[in-house]
Structure formats: structure tokens, C-alpha cells
Amino acid sequence: MTKRIFCSIFFAVFGVFLTSLALIMGILYGYFTNVQQAQLRMQTVLAAQGVSNEGAGYFRGLDLKDCRITWIGADGTVLYDSQAGTAENHMAREEVVEALSTGYGESRRYSATLMLRSLYAAQRLADGTVLRLSIAQNSILTLALGMAQPICTVFLVAVILSALLAVHISRRIVKPLAEMDLDAPMPGGGYEELAPLLRRAQSQQKQLKWQEAALQRKQDTLNTIVSSMSEGMVLLDREHKIVSINPAAMALLGLGAFSVGTDILALAGNVDLRAVVEQALRGERGEQTIAVRGTRHRLEAAPIISGDKPAGAALLFFDITEKEKTEALRREFTANVSHELKTPLQSISGCAELLENGLVREEDIRPFAGRIHAEAQRMTRLVEDIIHLSQLDEGAALAWQEVELYEAAREAAAALQSSAAARQIRLSVTGERALVSGARGLICEMIYNLCDNAIKYNVEGGSVEVSVEEDGQRAVVSVSDTGIGIPPEYQDRIFERFFRVDKSRSKASGGTGLGLSIVKHIAQYHGAELAVESELGRGTKISVSFRRQETP
């Protein structure tokens, strides 16, 4: 109780002191403000007289440090400003308005950011213009900071006197209470009993804040990890409601942040998802492949156990769309390779069996041997193409150089002139010089395959034209033929492995079904674009567009 009385008296006295000090400083601040305003008014009158006599020449050589002088036209435009400030119209300024109406005006404006107050005085001149002077005045807080030393001295003296007075008065008040019987104290006679409780509460509060900060750090770390996951993750409670969901799962399920707290089964509406969730909430791990928004995902669900009962479930979505597509392509490729190898092997085996059993006449032995050799050559080409495709799939690094497309086209055409002549097909190369960057061997092979394909699927006496041209920042190689053409429904599939529009004609011409697939892989390797134009019965044009190299 002594302490409480001491504090009450001490703070009351000290409060009176601070209030008195604030009032005194406020009164003094107001007094000195009025003095400064009066001095500013006198200076404004003198400066106005000088401007009236000398005009703009009055400002030459004028050195003003603590004062700002502004000459304002009758329409509010700034004619002169000693601080080269803003050139905005001053007609709306309070002091200018008053000066124009009464001959003299003044105002005060405070800047909270600079903690300064500006005093303004404006005098109307005989020509209708206004001369305004302004000075910056420190705020009362700034003045208080500047007088910190004397204020601290007075503050210390006041604290000591207040403490002495509070001690003396509190002792006199408490003395009768100290002499009373402790067996029958006055109700509410003391407050020390609360101190241990308050100290304990403060200690527990500090401990709780520390634990909360540690949990928040862990939560932030977990959120960062979960948000950066490419797999979708969803945490559910036992009522199927979403507790947490990461951005990947939101994008997959078409949900947003608003979905937290809602039933995932009502939002997703997937039968397979419902089965896995129910299984996890029964305490069993579940796994299922589901189709979501046109993709295939493997869903794994694990129960979240609290005590002995499932309190929720954790769902993880793994995208297996590309994996399944790759697996399907691998199976299809294996089946196609097996089929393509089986046909020549059967032919070779049949011919060899006839020769072995002596069932072939002497004059037919040579044609049979030729058949065996042709089928063996076909198998060799097929195996070489498969190996080449595998190398392209693996993305083997090759040396790049500047390749002149026109020369590469001429080389490919020269190598195929005999094949074209055998079918009376005219093979020509036209165009201009164009440089691209790439693997020369692959580019030559790509053009060769396109020309070879155009010859094989052409008509007797037809023509194949290879053209090289520049189109802006692109270099384009085009191979046009007058052949059988490609039906529109097959034009998007001709670059698939082993795909043939006319299987009987392709096999008769000795093709492996991999030529255009190799062309596609080489184009992708160089970042080139493929385009197909074809009309059934009139011919086909296949174009390859490269990013062009500047000619040195």
C-alpha cells in the first residue's frame, strides 16, 4: 500500500510538473511565433517597397538563407522564387488571397513529415502583383529536443523533489496502518500478494510467445515446401473437408483458396477419388489411378492418425500422363519393329528353305538369291534407321557449324540423281544462298530423306523440286513433288514411326517407314518448323523452316 500511495503522489506531482512545463512551452512558443510573424511582416513591407522601386532588379545578388521570397503575378503565376520551387499557380494560397483583397495577408502551414511550420506574409504591390516572404519555424517538439539538456536538468530536479515529497507523504499516510493488528487487517490493505502472480503470468506469456514464434517458423517452412511442390497435396479432416491444399492441387482439381473448409467430394465429384478418400478415413492406405481434367494421375491417400482413430487423410497426386504416353509409344514401337522385321525374315526363311531342299530350278537360283539379298538389305536399312532414331532420341551432342542450305540441297540432289533417272523423274534445285547453324550431317540427311521420299512416291516422268529461300529471319527448304499426294486425314500422321499412307506401295519401294520420322527428329533437334501441303493425286510439298544466320 505504501508503494501505491507513493506512486500515486509521485505521479500526480510529476504530472502537474509536466503539464505546467507543456503549458509554459506552449505559451512561449506562441509568443515567439507572434514575434517572428511581426518581424516577417516588417520584412515583407520593406521588401515590397524595394520591389516596387527596382522591380525584378531587386532580386539580383540577393542572398537569402533562412527566408524564402516569392513574387506572384496578379493571376497567381510565380514570377520569381528564391528557392526555385514549384511553378504551380499560387492564386489559391490563403495569404495570397488575403493580400489581393486587403493589401496584406499572412498564414501558417505545418509539415508533418519535416516537423516544420512555415510562416507566410504577403504584401500587394501597386501593380497588382504580390510579394510573399516565408520562413521555416521548428515545431514545438523540435524545440524541445533542442533544449534537451536544460529540460533534462529540470526533469531530474523535479523527479527528485517529487520522490522526496511522495515518500514523506506516503509514510505519514501508511504509518497508522503499519501499527494496526495484523490479525485483523483492513480489507484491501495491500497489493504485494499480486506481484508473484503477475511475475508468473509474465513469465508464461513470454514462454507462449516464444513457442508461437517457433511454430510460426515451422509453419512458414512447411508452407514454402508444400507450395513449391509440383505434386498436388491435399489435407482433409474426418468430414472430408479441406484443411490445406497447395497450388498444384488447386490447378489440378480446378479449385481456389476459397475451397479450404469445403467438402472435397462435393467439389471434385470423382468416383475413384471418393473411394480412395473413404479408404484412407477408415485407417487404410489407398492408391488409385484417376483421370482428372484430361490428365492421368496416381492418387495416394494415407490416413492421419490421432490417438487410435483416423483424424483425417493426406492425398498426393502424381502426374503420370507423360509416363503412360511414353510407355504406350514404347509398346507400339516394339510391336511395329517386330512386325517390320518379321516380314523380311519370313521371306528370307522361305527362300532359304526352298534352296536348301533343292526345290528351286537351276535358272531360278539367282532370282531367289537376289530376293534373299534384297530382304537382307531392307532389314539392314531398318536396323540402321532404328539405331539412328535411338541416337536422336537420346539427344547426343553433335558439333554445330554454319551450314549453307543451298549447297546441302545440291549435294542431296546429286546423290539421288540416279534414282530419279531410273524412274524418269526430273530432280532440280533452285533458290538462293542461306546460312543456318546446325549439324551439317543431320541437315544433309534430312534433305536427302525428303528428296528420296518425293522420288519413291512420285509418278513415272514426274518432277521433284528442291527450293531454298529466305523469309525474314527464317531460312526455308522446301521439297515439292508431283506424286500421289497425301489424304488430308493422314497429313498429321506422316511423321509417325512406321506410318504409311499406302503400305503396299511403301514396301514395294523399299521404304522402312522411318524416313519422315527421322526428318521430324532432326528438325526438332535444330529448333526448325515443319509444314506439309498436299493435294491427293497432284503432289506434296514439305517445308522446313530454320532460324537464319546472318550472312558474314
Side-chain angles (χ1 to χ4, degrees):
M1 185 175 182
T2 303
K3 185 181 294 185
R4 184 179 182 187
I5 295 174
F6 167 82
C7 292
S8 299
I9 297 174
F10 175 81
F11 287 113
V13 175
F14 190 67
V16 171
F17 164 74
L18 289 179
T19 303
S20 302
L21 180 62
L23 289 173
I24 292 172
M25 289 190 67
I27 293 172
L28 289 177
Y29 184 76
Y31 171 78
F32 285 114
T33 298
N34 293 332
V35 171
Q36 283 184 304
Q37 189 72 57
Q39 292 176 347
L40 184 63
R41 178 172 186 174
M42 181 177 66
Q43 292 173 354
T44 304
V45 172
L46 294 176
Q49 187 65 36
V51 173
S52 297
N53 294 333
E54 299 180 24
Y58 176 78
F59 303 111
R60 292 195 201 96
L62 194 63
D63 186 14
L64 298 174
K65 294 182 179 179
D66 299 326
C67 182
R68 177 180 179 181
I69 184 168
T70 308
W71 190 17
I72 305 166
D75 60 350
T77 57
V78 177
L79 304 177
Y80 172 80
D81 193 337
S82 62
Q83 293 187 4
T86 178
E88 64 181 2
N89 194 286
H90 281 48
M91 182 60 72
R93 302 297 171 89
E94 179 183 351
E95 66 279 1
V96 176
V97 173
E98 186 177 358
L100 289 174
S101 61
T102 63
Y104 174 80
E106 60 184 38
S107 66
R108 301 171 184 179
R109 288 192 284 276
Y110 180 75
S111 173
T113 56
L114 300 176
M115 298 182 66
L116 294 174
R117 185 168 67 168
S118 297
L119 305 181
Y120 295 88
Q123 178 73 37
R124 186 182 63 198
L125 306 183
D127 58 358
T129 61
V130 176
L131 186 70
R132 186 187 72 177
L133 269 69
S134 66
I135 58 173
Q137 181 188 43
N138 291 327
S139 66
I140 190 169
L141 179 58
T142 307
L143 291 175
L145 293 175
M147 298 174 61
Q149 185 175 358
I151 290 176
C152 289
T153 302
V154 175
F155 177 83
L156 182 60
V157 172
V159 168
I160 295 173
L161 291 177
S162 298
L164 292 175
L165 181 61
V167 168
H168 177 70
I169 295 175
S170 61
R171 285 179 178 176
R172 289 185 60 184
I173 294 174
V174 173
K175 185 178 180 180
L177 299 176
E179 297 175 352
M180 67 182 303
D181 187 5
L182 296 178
D183 294 332
M186 294 176 59
Y191 298 91
E192 287 295 331
E193 296 80 6
L194 295 177
L197 179 61
L198 295 176
R199 284 195 295 269
R200 185 174 181 83
Q202 185 180 13
S203 176
Q204 290 181 344
Q205 187 70 11
K206 289 181 179 180
Q207 185 176 5
L208 288 173
K209 288 183 178 180
W210 181 86
Q211 292 176 347
E212 183 181 0
L215 289 173
Q216 187 61 46
R217 287 194 297 271
K218 292 181 180 179
Q219 183 65 37
D220 292 341
T221 302
L222 179 61
N223 289 341
T224 301
I225 295 173
V226 171
S227 298
S228 60
M229 289 172 57
S230 58
E231 296 80 11
M233 189 184 79
V234 183
L235 298 181
L236 306 175
D237 62 13
R238 65 180 66 191
E239 302 298 330
H240 311 151
K241 293 182 179 179
I242 299 174
V243 176
S244 177
I245 182 170
N246 71 343
M250 291 182 190
L252 172 64
L253 300 175
L255 306 178
F258 65 88
S259 59
V260 175
T262 56
D263 192 329
I264 189 172
L265 301 181
L267 294 175
N270 188 293
V271 177
D272 295 329
L273 175 64
R274 175 184 294 272
V276 175
V277 169
E278 294 291 353
Q279 185 177 356
L281 291 177
R282 289 196 302 268
E284 304 173 6
R285 297 182 66 87
E287 184 175 338
Q288 180 71 38
T289 299
I290 63 174
V292 183
R293 301 171 71 85
T295 59
R296 299 280 293 174
H297 283 74
R298 188 178 81 253
L299 170 60
E300 294 184 2
I304 300 175
I305 305 299
S306 177
D308 296 332
K309 297 181 179 180
L315 308 182
L316 283 175
F317 297 85
F318 299 92
D319 192 347
I320 59 172
T321 306
E322 291 301 322
K323 181 180 178 182
E324 289 191 347
K325 286 182 180 178
T326 303
E327 184 65 22
L329 289 174
R330 186 190 64 79
R331 290 194 299 268
E332 181 182 358
F333 181 71
T334 302
N336 286 332
V337 169
S338 301
H339 177 73
E340 293 294 330
L341 289 174
K342 182 179 179 181
T343 302
L345 280 174
Q346 286 177 338
S347 179
I348 292 172
S349 177
C351 291
E353 185 178 359
L354 291 174
L355 289 171
E356 180 183 19
N357 294 327
L359 299 177
V360 180
R361 291 179 299 179
E362 186 69 26
E363 61 272 18
D364 292 332
I365 291 178
R366 191 176 187 86
F368 270 80
R371 177 70 179 275
I372 292 173
H373 180 263
E375 294 294 346
Q377 288 294 103
R378 180 182 169 192
M379 288 181 60
T380 301
R381 290 194 300 272
L382 179 62
V383 171
E384 288 175 350
D385 284 348
I386 291 172
I387 293 174
H388 197 178
L389 275 175
S390 298
Q391 291 173 343
L392 292 174
D393 285 339
E394 291 172 1
L398 300 174
W400 280 38
Q401 59 185 0
E402 285 189 348
V403 180
E404 214 293 290
L405 287 180
Y406 186 77
E407 289 300 324
R410 286 177 61 86
E411 291 178 12
L416 288 167
Q417 281 294 347
S418 59
S419 299
R423 301 192 61 204
Q424 300 179 357
I425 292 175
R426 184 175 58 85
L427 177 59
S428 62
V429 180
T430 61
E432 56 187 327
R433 184 172 181 265
L435 288 175
V436 297
S437 180
R440 179 178 176 79
L442 292 181
I443 291 177
C444 290
E445 180 181 1
M446 178 181 66
I447 299 175
Y448 181 93
N449 283 354
L450 289 173
C451 293
D452 185 45
N453 230 49
I455 293 171
K456 288 177 180 177
Y457 294 95
N458 214 321
V459 295
E460 294 286 341
S463 65
V464 175
E465 181 181 350
V466 184
S467 65
V468 180
E469 59 183 9
E470 293 184 351
D471 182 12
Q473 295 300 316
R474 313 287 293 188
V476 183
V477 179
S478 301
V479 178
S480 305
D481 63 57
T482 57
I484 61 175
I486 304 170
E489 64 269 20
Y490 294 142
Q491 291 180 13
D492 292 336
R493 301 191 58 194
I494 60 173
F495 296 103
E496 296 179 8
R497 300 177 184 184
F498 297 110
F499 180 79
R500 297 183 177 94
V501 176
D502 186 345
K503 295 185 179 181
S504 60
R505 182 185 181 93
S506 178
K507 291 184 178 181
S509 63
T512 63
L514 296 175
L516 289 182
S517 182
I518 292 174
V519 169
K520 176 183 177 182
H521 278 68
I522 294 175
Q524 290 176 341
Y525 181 79
H526 289 86
E529 299 176 0
L530 285 168
V532 179
E533 300 175 20
S534 183
E535 187 175 348
L536 195 61
R538 301 194 63 179
T540 301
K541 178 181 179 182
I542 299 179
S543 303
V544 187
S545 175
F546 294 86
R547 284 190 291 271
R548 184 172 64 85
Q549 290 288 108
E550 294 294 337
T551 304

